Amino acid sequence: MIQAIFFDFNGVIIDDEPLQCRAYQEVFVPYGVPLSAAQYYGALGMDDRAFVQAAFERAGKELTIQTRRAVSEAKLEIHRRLMTDQLPLFPRIETFLKAASRSFSLGIVSMASREEIRYVFDRARLEPLFSVVVSAEDVSLCKPAPDCYDRALEKLNEKRLKARLLPLQPGECLVVEDSPPGIQSGRSAGMRALGVTNTVSEAELRAAGAEVVTKDLSDWNVDAVRHLFSKG
């Protein structure tokens, strides 16, 4: 039975994949590094460091430590500017998260930076709903490697141990992802997987290992999670 739900961040909690793409495109201009939407979406699952490295290599441009730092800082500023007027959370995601937090332990498992996640948490006041957060800084390998989900379960079980609760097993955890690398990451960690077609097609998510695929999370509730993932 599912005891914990681990959510990806960009593309699941916040509808900002197009904004991420626009921010990268804008920040790359002074460096002569082109970026198409296809190239951006083809790199889902990468953290900023790996993404910038790949983009510069593809363009045949040198990337120094100073340049990488400057690009990351500028991209973060542009991304925030694009969200100044309204924080683009997915419809009713807050309702689902609040309901789910009363029945499951929740976590964020993302290749976004800790600062990026914290900014959204502060504006939307979501932090109290989550027991653990794993960001790009917590692991050295990006999705589809299982490291981030392994780390999330490790952190959650550390909290459970302090609370004198039995540790959870991977099969008791559900991952909610919008990309094939994310689904593969969770499945490789031994967890159940729910795909959300916010970014790619149902066929792509199922091919990656998603057991259930939904158009969005707006109609989901605790009973749906328990019913659809009640069996191993």
Side-chain angles (χ1 to χ4, degrees):
M1 182 179 294
I2 298 301
Q3 301 291 332
I5 306 177
F6 295 134
F7 295 84
D8 183 30
F9 188 65
N10 308 104
V12 172
I13 303 296
I14 183 168
D15 186 12
D16 70 336
E17 294 289 12
L19 303 185
Q20 293 275 350
C21 182
R22 284 172 56 188
Y24 273 123
Q25 288 172 330
E26 185 173 332
V27 79
F28 282 165
V29 169
Y31 301 97
V33 175
L35 177 68
S36 67
Q39 289 169 334
Y40 173 80
Y41 286 102
L44 293 174
M46 287 186 178
D47 60 15
D48 283 350
R49 181 185 180 89
F51 182 86
V52 172
Q53 182 73 43
F56 272 68
E57 288 180 356
R58 187 170 55 243
K61 302 290 184 178
E62 180 183 3
L63 180 63
T64 65
I65 294 175
Q66 291 78 11
T67 298
R68 181 188 290 114
R69 185 179 297 115
V71 166
S72 296
E73 290 175 355
K75 178 258 179 179
L76 186 62
E77 292 179 3
I78 295 169
H79 180 246
R80 288 183 178 180
R81 171 169 54 80
L82 293 173
M83 298 191 297
T84 298
D85 294 333
Q86 183 177 5
L87 196 64
L89 298 179
F90 279 101
R92 296 188 63 194
I93 188 64
E94 292 170 275
T95 301
F96 177 53
L97 291 174
K98 288 175 182 177
S101 69
R102 291 191 286 270
S103 298
F104 308 102
S105 296
L106 304 188
I108 290 290
V109 182
S110 173
M111 291 297 95
S113 69
R114 189 176 296 113
E115 187 174 359
E116 185 177 313
I117 295 170
R118 184 181 298 116
Y119 174 76
V120 174
F121 269 18
D122 288 346
R123 282 187 60 179
R125 300 178 181 177
L126 294 177
E127 187 172 4
L129 303 179
F130 294 91
S131 299
V132 297
V133 174
V134 171
S135 63
E137 294 87 350
D138 293 306
V139 292
S140 58
L141 294 177
C142 304
K143 299 173 184 178
D147 300 46
C148 54
Y149 281 106
D150 289 339
R151 180 58 183 142
L153 182 55
E154 181 181 28
K155 291 178 72 171
L156 180 57
N157 280 336
E158 288 171 357
K159 282 197 164 188
R160 290 179 65 86
L161 180 62
K162 291 179 180 179
R164 297 184 179 181
L165 297 173
L166 291 174
L168 298 183
Q169 298 302 311
E172 296 176 287
C173 304
L174 173 67
V175 307
V176 182
E177 283 276 359
D178 69 314
S179 73
I183 294 291
Q184 292 167 348
S185 176
R187 296 295 278 164
S188 294
M191 299 179 184
R192 313 297 298 275
L194 168 63
V196 187
T197 58
N198 292 333
T199 308
V200 302
S201 69
E202 176 179 351
E204 292 173 276
L205 293 170
R206 289 195 180 277
E211 299 165 81
V212 178
V213 176
T214 184
K215 182 179 178 181
D216 57 56
L217 295 173
S218 62
D219 294 327
W220 275 68
N221 54 41
V222 170
D223 289 339
V225 173
R226 286 176 172 159
H227 174 70
L228 290 170
F229 294 94
S230 60
K231 297 180 181 181

